[in-house]
């Protein structure tokens, strides 16, 4: 092999190696930033056990909100058609956060309690995020989620 071909081959191999390293780093970074959405019943069946951080979506159970008097700590329960999950959050909640409202909380599990780092509340009485609606429908095929949650409105 003559020196010119050898130099070209070396350059091409270095460019390919750099591209493989760059793609690997991008994929690794994207995986670290992905948060999957689960309902309380999916978490209880262990579907979220392999994820360190994930999102929990459902309705805030009526009467479950408990606020600490001296800190910003709030505990509440998120429910879906067949499961419930206690949630702990330390921070300021959205203005629309209240009983019987859809909520998505980002965080991690600590034993049987979900520790939220961010809480999002729905923005009007008819809105439910598509991914939450799909996840709840998949988890409860054959059940009417609105009837189970005590709502009278048809889907």
């Amino acid at each position: 092999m003559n020196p010119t071909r050898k130099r070209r081959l070396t350059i091409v191999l270095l460019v390919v190696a750099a591209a493989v390293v760059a793609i690997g780093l991008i994929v690794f970074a994207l995986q670290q930033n992905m948060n999957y959405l689960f309902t309380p019943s999916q978490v209880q069946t262990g579907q979220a056990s392999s994820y360190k951080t994930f999102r929990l979506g459902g309705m805030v159970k009526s009467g479950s909100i408990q606020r600490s008097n001296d800190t910003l700590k709030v505990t509440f329960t998120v429910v879906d058609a067949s499961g419930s999950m206690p949630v702990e959050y330390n921070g300021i909640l959205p203005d629309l956060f209240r009983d019987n409202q859809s909520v998505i909380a980002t965080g991690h599990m600590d034993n049987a309690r979900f520790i939220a780092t961010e809480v999002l509340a729905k923005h009007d009485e008819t809105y439910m995020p598509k991914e939450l609606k799909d996840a709840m429908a998949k988890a409860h095929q054959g059940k009417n989620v609105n009837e189970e949650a005590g709502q009278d409105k048809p889907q």
Side-chain angles (χ1 to χ4, degrees), residues 5 11 41 43 45 50-51 61 64 70-71 78 82 87 89 100 109 112 117-118 124-125 127 129 133 144:
R5 273 192 177 169
I11 292 172
S41 59
V43 174
T45 60
S50 62
Y51 300 99
K61 183 178 179 181
S64 69
D70 54 347
T71 65
V78 175
S82 63
V87 177
Y89 178 67
N100 297 320
M109 291 299 295
T117 56
E118 179 183 29
D124 70 15
E125 69 277 354
Y127 174 75
K133 192 175 204 177
N144 187 339

Side-chain angles (χ1 to χ4, degrees), residues 62-130:
S62 181
S64 69
I65 301 173
Q66 298 176 352
R67 300 175 190 269
S68 173
N69 291 331
D70 54 347
T71 65
L72 294 175
K73 181 179 174 182
V74 180
T75 58
F76 56 94
T77 302
V78 175
V79 297
D80 64 357
S82 63
S84 66
M85 178 66 53
V87 177
E88 182 179 308
Y89 178 67
N90 194 2
I92 299 173
L93 290 167
D95 291 337
L96 295 175
F97 181 86
R98 59 183 175 269
D99 289 342
N100 297 320
Q101 292 290 323
S102 292
V103 66
I104 295 179
T106 303
H108 64 277
M109 291 299 295
D110 182 22
N111 296 322
R113 179 175 295 271
F114 186 79
I115 307 299
T117 56
E118 179 183 29
V119 175
L120 304 173
K122 73 178 196 174
H123 67 274
D124 70 15
E125 69 277 354
T126 59
Y127 174 75
M128 181 179 287
K130 181 182 181 329

Side-chain angles (χ1 to χ4, degrees), residues 36-51:
Y36 294 94
L37 177 72
F38 295 98
T39 60
S41 59
Q42 289 174 318
V43 174
Q44 289 172 341
T45 60
Q47 295 179 29
S49 61
S50 62
Y51 300 99

